Amino acid sequence: MELRKRYCWTFGILFAGILAGLIAVSILLARKTGEELDRAKLTTARHGPFTLHTRATLSPASSESAPIYRLPTTVQPRHYELFLQIHLPYDEDDTLPDALTTRGSHVNITLRTTAQGVRNITFHARHEVKENSVSGYIKQFDKDAVSLLEFTGNGTVDGVFKIVSVDFLKVDIVVVHLDRALLPDRDYKLRIQFEGVIGQNMQGLYRSQFVKDGKTRYLVTSQFEPIMARMAFPCFDEPGIRSRFSTTLKYPNRFTMIRTNGQAEGEAITDGLWLIQKYTTTPAMPVYLNAFLVSDFELTSVDAQDPSEEIYPFNVIARKEFIDRGDAAYALQQGKVMMEFLSREFNQSYIEHLPKLDMAAVPDFNVGAMENWGLILYREARLLYRPKVSTAEQKSGVAGIIAHELAHMLFGNVVTCSWWSNIWLNEGFATYLMYMLMGQANPSWNTKYLFSYWVIHDAFQHDSYLSTHPLYDPRVENNTLIDNSFDPIAYAKGASVIHMLKGVLGEIGFNRVLKEYIRANKLGSVEHGDFLREVEIVALEMGFPAGTMSRYLRSWIEESGYPVLMLDRGSGTDPSEITYTQQIFRYPTLQDNDSINNSTVEPTLWDIPLTLTNGAPGAPLEQETAKHGCFLSKAAGSLRSECESEVLDYPTLPASDERIDNFIIANVQQYGFYRVNYDRHNWNRIIMALPVFLDYPTVTPSSVLKNNVIRGQLIDDSFNLARAGFLSYEVPLKLIHNYFTLETHHGPLASARDNFRHLYVMLEGTVHHDLFVEYMRKLMEGGLYTNSRWSNSWTDADVPSHGDSEGSFNRVMANNIIINLSCYFEVAACVTSAVTRFRRWRESGIGFGPDTRTNNDIQTKEHMLCYGVRHGPVENWHYLRGLYDHPEATTSDQRTILRALACTKYEELVERVLAMVLDGKSVRPQDQSAAFAALGRWVGRRTWDFLRSGWSKLTGSTSTIMADLSRYVKTERHLAQIQQLYVDVGGKDGSDSTAFEKAIEQAQVNVAWMAAHADEVGGILKTLTIGEPTPLLL
Ligand SMILES: [Zn+2]
């Protein structure tokens, strides 16, 4: 164990009158000690536009009389023997019935009670179904289909219960009433014969389809998380209830690839045209981890090694044609490396639980992938990688999702959240660990910056609204909220807070926490307190005062939102005069006026781990709070002097020194989940230093500004601080203006692109729009596109083969952003290149087959298609539309084509794309949201109108579509339309109330932004001249 430096914990006296219960709504007043209070008020008055409006401004139209969602805890299942008969047609030429069923199925559930006098058994089955629904469900059964046997201690039958009645209650609850009470601590076997209807909407047990040799082929597969196992068989469908599952499947004998969690056990038994196959028993697991696949797919396999050195088969399963042409090879290679590393790193055996691990690609899948234990299911486009076709972005996407799902084998499967309110314990850890596993399998990728851009910035975006929620969300009780709990907060913020803990404890301490957490909770169900307990043990050993670390973390887990830390060096000569204030960060709405002085609600504050660096040569880039930093405690307000003596243990100039590198940067490389704002002098030095330090072709002089995570952080923080009213737009715009043509890294480019996109959308239709487009075009022309630092724009120069080195991976990714931005803003050379390339591609006849030309052609295909359609002859669109229907077009190709078709500038073709999305045949429901997002890039408001009229026809994820399109709503009139749609549609079925609530707030934020910032941005753009670095007006 490493000895730590002196700590600086100071615990001030808590302010009187803190009402802990009032944090659900929060305001933006920094709470400070003593003399800082006035300063905080001043700061707030200048920046602080927020007050409160209550969480729900609208409520759904109907309210049921509080139905029961949770099962009683008196009866615990231990083991299921599931017999599932899948009625697919015997002959593939047979016409498919309207609905496939599981007629002839049954389940035996061994259960126990610990309570006295229990006379009924309550469990889940989806028995209600809406008219015209294509969801799966279980037909109601009568009491003759149910039996209950009692067993003695030695396993012999000791009695048969009389079933008095079976009640089917609302929200999937079934109650079996018995003639007498169960006895504690005896085994009972509940047997239910049932018939299910197999769904068609990617939920529960469902059918999927694809076309081969001109014929439609069908398969049956499943998606159970969070609460859809109950659509397939009667069960105790809660994540905290673990049981073992012994499954037997009966299916038509023409199917060859039948998989479930366990391994086939013995030979299949023939029963006429049917086969009956038994599978090995699973470990004790939540019911949602069951999975099924009845198909004629093919398998490719590799041996994986357990820490015990035992070998088990690691398989990838997909359509035969994909396996044959090698599309699964990459997934197989990546998966093996990652799984072996994960097991070794945590010293956890996999085959202790299951004898094989499958990853299967299915044509229709509601989410990207699902971590079913032993049978991970993926959307085809997310698992398959086709050499000479797929791009670096797709490659890293495949590696990332495999890493995420494999991480779940421990975080999610071996240890599971006990209820959905803590789903971040599954998803946040899997998201965090996916970067570690990706890095192991692809050492050259530098996954650290990917984490910063893909995860932290994304989490910030979603956590900046009043409608956000805490990581631990105690509201999650009903089925709608359970569905909605799988959101970017659980994934991205969960991972970001875990990342912050790593920054605090350092790698060694942090790894010990994770290992102990898995070991201590193996095959168990956890709440966040179980995790904090392990954190506390390690932190105590490291010398942190007892109870502090878990208490600090709680504020990040149990409160919503995040802070912005304001650092002000003032004009003093002593660096210890830096002052710190914190406020909650939130995008304001028009209702957020003038409440600062009137509010009686205590503000939300956090214990912030502070790290600092500065512009001096050799200033540190890595800081562990355990060694170099300390917390700005919310209890004590500011700990400035103690903190700085810990943190700033390297040369720091007085703030008044005008040297260009005399700046400070806090939250070094974004380990903490907070944004940072500075006084204008400090911002000015940063934005004037950036072009100076980046213009050196070699590594000297060293500067923290050469770190791409820090540059991405400065861009994302400054744009969003301006967006929320904490900072003038002069800062981000001049920051970009001064240095952007020197940027060569994918991370900062991507951060800038996303923030440009926001400005573009906001300014569209205003008097400032042309000015913005013109400015962006010149910015791209003035350096990035035509004179890129690696002498490679979208001309004929090739880019290196991706994935071979960090440089090549970055170049491919960065090049794509530059091309996309340049063509979007119509840089002439880019547009010409796109049109020429489209023509060459079309003439080559390559279509979506392997491209043997240059790597540049492969990597930039998406932009060639999009801008070739937009700026080329109209025939380009029709050519691409023809390829969409080509029998060999894969689901991945179709998605790419759809996105490109949306790039057209012809109104009637836009209409045709919109119609394709809603005709129920052309576009798989899983791709609807991607199509709308693609259209939104070009015709956001138009798409919104169309969507509104076609809402009832949508079968894909309406919440994703809603979230995407509300970004384009920025007028009072369109805002009123969303609110009306909510009343008309959302309120009625209640299923998307959270999505509507978010969309409405997003639109309100946009309306407020227009009033506050449109003219401001326009005014600043007018003052900028390309090629001339410009300081802030001080
Ligand atoms: Zn996950």
Side-chain angles (χ1 to χ4, degrees):
M1 193 181 92
E2 198 177 357
L3 278 178
R4 64 191 177 83
K5 285 175 64 178
R6 177 175 61 83
Y7 281 104
C8 50
W9 309 99
T10 307
F11 304 104
I13 301 160
L14 282 168
F15 269 74
I18 293 178
L19 301 171
L22 283 176
I23 57 168
V25 285
S26 42
I27 60 157
L28 189 85
L29 176 63
R31 180 162 52 81
K32 304 300 299 177
T33 50
E35 77 284 356
E36 284 173 31
L37 193 56
D38 288 336
R39 182 176 202 105
K41 269 189 179 164
L42 263 179
T43 314
T44 311
R46 196 165 71 232
H47 299 139
F50 303 130
T51 79
L52 277 230
H53 47 118
T54 50
R55 173 174 277 277
T57 47
L58 293 162
S59 46
S62 62
S63 64
E64 294 176 332
S65 57
I68 304 160
Y69 293 94
R70 301 291 289 266
L71 299 175
T73 55
T74 45
V75 173
Q76 293 101 28
R78 299 155 64 89
H79 186 201
Y80 290 62
E81 296 159 275
L82 176 64
F83 182 95
L84 210 51
Q85 183 166 4
I86 310 287
H87 286 264
L88 277 155
Y90 304 116
D91 192 308
E92 67 180 337
D93 291 328
D94 288 353
T95 46
L96 200 73
D98 284 345
L100 301 174
T101 73
T102 59
R103 195 173 60 254
S105 299
H106 67 262
V107 62
N108 300 328
I109 308 175
T110 304
L111 42 86
R112 280 189 169 205
T113 181
T114 49
Q116 298 283 352
V118 175
R119 294 178 64 113
N120 56 53
I121 301 171
T122 305
F123 53 89
H124 289 110
R126 172 72 47 87
H127 55 85
E128 292 177 299
V129 65
K130 287 180 195 149
E131 210 176 332
N132 299 325
S133 166
V134 289
S135 290
Y137 68 100
I138 295 166
K139 294 182 178 175
Q140 292 197 1
F141 40 85
D142 61 30
K143 63 188 173 74
D144 296 338
V146 181
S147 65
L148 184 72
L149 301 179
E150 184 171 20
F151 289 84
T152 62
N154 62 15
T156 54
V157 175
D158 195 31
V160 179
F161 280 69
K162 181 168 183 281
I163 306 299
V164 177
S165 63
V166 181
D167 287 351
F168 289 86
L169 307 182
K170 277 203 172 305
V171 289
D172 314 332
I173 298 282
V174 182
V175 185
V176 170
H177 296 276
L178 309 171
D179 63 334
R180 60 183 193 276
L182 302 175
L183 296 173
D185 301 322
R186 300 196 81 176
D187 279 340
Y188 295 90
K189 190 175 277 189
L190 176 71
R191 181 184 173 89
I192 302 167
Q193 293 170 283
F194 65 93
E195 175 179 350
V197 171
I198 294 173
Q200 298 170 45
N201 61 350
M202 303 182 284
Q203 299 179 355
L205 198 64
Y206 68 92
R207 80 168 203 232
S208 172
Q209 64 196 60
F210 62 99
V211 176
K212 187 179 177 187
D213 302 331
K215 268 196 280 189
T216 303
R217 316 288 176 113
Y218 296 95
L219 60 136
V220 165
T221 186
S222 65
Q223 168 59 20
F224 288 168
E225 195 186 29
I227 49 170
M228 294 179 289
R230 63 187 66 174
M231 298 161 100
F233 57 93
C235 57
F236 294 72
D237 197 3
E238 293 191 358
I241 300 176
R242 298 180 92 94
S243 314
R244 291 159 68 85
F245 294 83
S246 304
T247 296
T248 302
L249 292 176
K250 184 171 181 180
Y251 52 90
N253 62 13
R254 72 187 170 86
F255 288 95
T256 51
M257 186 58 64
I258 321 299
R259 311 298 285 192
T260 180
N261 309 70
Q263 181 87 295
E265 199 173 25
E267 289 290 305
I269 298 164
T270 301
D271 177 10
L273 291 168
W274 297 83
L275 287 173
I276 301 170
Q277 177 69 59
K278 198 166 182 293
Y279 295 85
T280 56
T281 302
T282 71
M285 65 182 198
V287 65
Y288 76 80
L289 287 175
N290 280 279
F292 304 94
L293 176 67
V294 178
S295 71
D296 56 5
F297 287 176
E298 192 55 78
L299 174 148
T300 175
S301 184
V302 68
D303 284 343
Q305 195 176 55
D306 220 32
S308 63
E309 302 201 342
E310 282 182 85
I311 300 292
Y312 62 93
F314 188 98
N315 308 313
V316 175
I317 295 164
R319 297 192 223 175
K320 185 171 186 311
E321 54 269 38
F322 296 157
I323 297 286
D324 288 350
R325 72 185 191 196
D327 294 4
Y330 181 65
L332 201 61
Q333 179 267 333
Q334 290 280 301
K336 172 184 156 70
V337 173
M338 292 172 182
M339 195 59 207
E340 290 181 346
F341 173 79
L342 181 77
S343 307
R344 256 195 335 268
E345 177 73 7
F346 290 94
N347 196 25
Q348 290 289 328
S349 165
Y350 177 80
I351 49 172
E352 170 189 344
H353 305 297
L354 283 160
K356 57 89 182 170
L357 179 49
D358 296 333
M359 304 201 295
V362 295
D364 300 279
F365 205 65
N366 204 13
V367 288
M370 176 62 210
E371 69 266 20
N372 314 298
W373 214 347
L375 175 55
I376 307 173
L377 293 168
Y378 295 79
R379 234 181 238 188
E380 284 174 342
R382 303 305 302 273
L383 185 65
L384 304 176
Y385 170 80
R386 193 175 183 193
K388 297 283 177 197
V389 174
S390 308
T391 62
E393 192 152 7
Q394 288 167 329
K395 188 178 194 176
S396 54
V398 166
I401 200 164
I402 292 173
H404 179 100
E405 303 311 324
L406 293 179
H408 273 312
M409 296 303 110
L410 294 182
F411 294 87
N413 298 5
V414 169
V415 177
T416 313
C417 61
S418 63
W419 184 247
W420 306 111
S421 52
N422 259 322
I423 186 61
W424 75 278
L425 289 171
N426 290 14
E427 298 304 345
F429 279 99
T431 304
Y432 176 79
L433 283 174
M434 73 186 255
Y435 290 84
M436 185 166 110
L437 297 182
M438 271 171 95
Q440 282 299 318
N442 307 278
S444 68
W445 283 3
N446 187 2
T447 51
K448 183 170 187 165
Y449 88 81
L450 289 178
F451 185 84
S452 152
Y453 167 62
W454 282 352
V455 180
I456 300 175
H457 293 189
D458 186 48
F460 278 146
Q461 277 299 312
H462 289 92
D463 209 21
S464 299
Y465 294 88
L466 186 65
S467 53
T468 185
H469 60 83
L471 282 180
Y472 165 66
D473 190 354
R475 293 175 310 150
V476 176
E477 281 293 323
N478 69 44
N479 291 357
T480 304
L481 289 173
I482 290 169
D483 276 337
N484 287 332
S485 64
F486 290 76
D487 67 0
I489 299 299
Y491 286 72
K493 185 180 181 183
S496 301
V497 168
I498 293 161
H499 178 249
M500 176 160 65
L501 178 66
K502 184 187 170 193
V504 170
L505 294 182
E507 184 140 7
I508 295 169
F510 175 73
N511 287 349
R512 280 188 48 218
V513 170
L514 295 200
K515 282 175 193 167
E516 275 305 301
Y517 170 67
I518 289 291
R519 197 195 56 75
N521 297 292
K522 188 170 175 179
L523 294 182
S525 307
V526 288
E527 296 173 8
H528 60 287
D530 296 302
F531 176 62
L532 293 178
R533 190 178 318 119
E534 302 305 326
V535 172
E536 189 57 36
I537 291 168
V538 171
L540 198 61
E541 286 174 12
M542 292 176 73
F544 288 84
T548 54
M549 190 57 68
S550 54
R551 197 172 71 233
Y552 284 4
L553 267 183
R554 261 183 209 281
S555 65
W556 297 91
I557 294 169
E558 296 179 356
E559 291 175 14
S560 62
Y562 62 91
V564 50
L565 183 68
M566 171 71 197
L567 267 68
D568 192 341
R569 301 173 79 186
S571 55
T573 52
D574 178 355
S576 68
E577 282 193 15
I578 300 173
T579 56
Y580 304 89
T581 47
Q582 65 159 303
Q583 302 174 320
I584 190 168
F585 182 92
R586 185 170 294 146
Y587 300 136
T589 66
L590 285 179
Q591 289 95 321
D592 288 328
N593 288 327
D594 174 43
S595 67
I596 290 154
N597 299 322
N598 301 331
S599 177
T600 54
V601 183
E602 282 295 331
T604 303
L605 293 176
W606 287 263
D607 294 298
I608 297 176
L610 176 69
T611 52
L612 285 177
T613 189
N614 67 15
L621 273 170
E622 291 285 345
Q623 290 196 341
E624 293 170 11
T625 313
K627 291 184 198 153
H628 302 289
C630 71
F631 278 83
L632 290 169
S633 163
K634 72 171 173 182
S638 161
L639 297 175
R640 59 182 191 265
S641 56
E642 292 95 333
C643 264
E644 281 153 25
S645 66
E646 284 294 321
V647 177
L648 286 170
D649 57 354
Y650 47 89
T652 302
L653 297 167
S656 55
D657 190 307
E658 290 299 328
R659 274 181 54 169
I660 195 167
D661 62 359
N662 182 18
F663 56 83
I664 53 172
I665 286 179
N667 195 17
V668 186
Q669 297 202 68
Q670 254 171 347
Y671 265 104
F673 190 65
Y674 59 96
R675 295 192 188 277
V676 186
N677 196 3
Y678 308 96
D679 58 87
R680 280 176 76 81
H681 278 89
N682 197 60
W683 274 119
N684 191 49
R685 295 222 178 93
I686 291 170
I687 70 178
M688 293 310 284
L690 261 168
V692 175
F693 286 106
L694 284 198
D695 210 16
Y696 283 95
T698 64
V699 289
T700 54
S702 71
S703 170
V704 293
L705 297 179
K706 283 181 179 285
N707 179 279
N708 68 71
V709 176
I710 288 183
R711 291 200 303 282
Q713 172 183 8
L714 289 168
I715 292 171
D716 198 60
D717 275 0
S718 62
F719 268 104
N720 284 286
L721 289 165
R723 184 170 166 182
F726 289 94
L727 187 64
S728 159
Y729 261 104
E730 194 191 351
V731 174
L733 290 172
K734 286 186 175 170
L735 184 146
I736 287 286
H737 176 84
N738 287 1
Y739 102 97
F740 204 52
T741 54
L742 302 170
E743 185 56 79
T744 56
H745 202 277
H746 161 238
L749 284 167
S751 300
R753 175 198 57 199
D754 293 352
N755 286 293
F756 290 150
R757 188 176 290 160
H758 173 253
L759 286 184
Y760 179 89
V761 167
M762 288 293 110
L763 296 178
E764 195 186 7
T766 71
V767 292
H768 310 294
H769 184 248
D770 290 351
L771 177 68
F772 178 69
V773 170
E774 183 63 21
Y775 176 78
M776 287 303 301
R777 182 184 305 139
K778 284 185 182 158
L779 186 68
M780 299 310 294
E781 264 173 357
L784 276 174
Y785 185 77
T786 51
N787 184 23
S788 154
R789 302 193 96 195
W790 48 69
S791 319
N792 176 62
S793 56
W794 207 18
T795 55
D796 285 325
D798 199 3
V799 291
S801 164
H802 55 77
D804 299 341
S805 68
E806 180 179 344
S808 67
F809 179 73
N810 175 54
R811 266 176 69 169
V812 169
M813 300 288 273
N815 206 39
N816 265 294
I817 295 176
I818 292 170
I819 289 170
N820 191 15
L821 279 173
S822 300
C823 274
Y824 193 87
F825 291 106
E826 302 190 5
V827 170
C830 188
V831 168
T832 307
S833 185
V835 173
T836 310
R837 283 166 179 274
F838 195 108
R839 179 172 47 75
R840 274 196 241 146
W841 167 73
R842 197 177 152 179
E843 287 167 1
S844 74
I846 290 167
F848 284 80
D851 194 334
T852 52
R853 301 175 302 161
T854 69
N855 189 38
N856 207 351
D857 285 306
I858 298 166
Q859 297 301 333
T860 59
K861 186 168 190 166
E862 187 176 343
H863 306 307
M864 176 273 287
L865 293 174
C866 173
Y867 297 105
V869 160
R870 187 160 186 84
H871 299 290
V874 70
E875 294 79 50
N876 286 359
W877 191 93
H878 293 285
Y879 177 70
L880 212 47
R881 179 68 185 84
L883 289 182
Y884 187 89
D885 291 332
H886 193 280
E888 285 184 13
T890 64
T891 49
S892 172
D893 301 338
Q894 286 185 326
R895 204 174 161 96
T896 306
I897 296 171
L898 199 55
R899 286 172 55 83
L901 291 176
C903 297
T904 181
K905 48 165 87 155
Y906 298 103
E907 181 72 14
E908 64 272 25
L909 296 181
V910 171
E911 293 290 337
R912 284 181 59 180
V913 179
L914 286 164
M916 273 174 78
V917 180
L918 291 187
D919 71 9
K921 297 190 294 287
S922 307
V923 175
R924 288 175 193 261
Q926 68 188 14
D927 294 331
Q928 281 182 343
S929 57
F932 277 118
L935 281 162
R937 285 177 71 200
W938 302 105
V939 285
R941 283 173 298 163
R942 173 78 196 79
T943 312
W944 164 249
D945 286 338
F946 188 89
L947 177 68
R948 203 160 50 91
S949 60
W951 190 262
S952 60
K953 294 184 201 155
L954 288 174
T955 46
S957 165
T958 48
S959 56
T960 312
I961 295 168
M962 199 67 203
D964 229 23
L965 285 184
S966 58
R967 292 192 298 165
Y968 303 98
V969 174
K970 57 191 182 187
T971 63
E972 295 278 9
R973 187 169 68 85
H974 283 98
L975 172 60
Q977 287 173 349
I978 293 195
Q979 288 166 327
Q980 188 59 44
L981 184 67
Y982 179 71
V983 172
D984 292 348
V985 186
K988 263 184 203 148
D989 66 11
S991 59
D992 271 312
S993 57
T994 313
F996 269 99
E997 188 185 312
K998 283 184 186 154
I1000 288 168
E1001 189 190 356
Q1002 162 109 56
Q1004 286 171 331
V1005 163
N1006 289 350
V1007 170
W1009 189 95
M1010 293 298 290
H1013 299 299
D1015 291 344
E1016 180 197 5
V1017 171
I1020 295 164
L1021 287 176
K1022 270 191 202 132
T1023 67
L1024 301 176
T1025 309
I1026 299 288
E1028 290 177 17
T1030 313
L1032 295 181
L1033 301 169
L1034 292 169

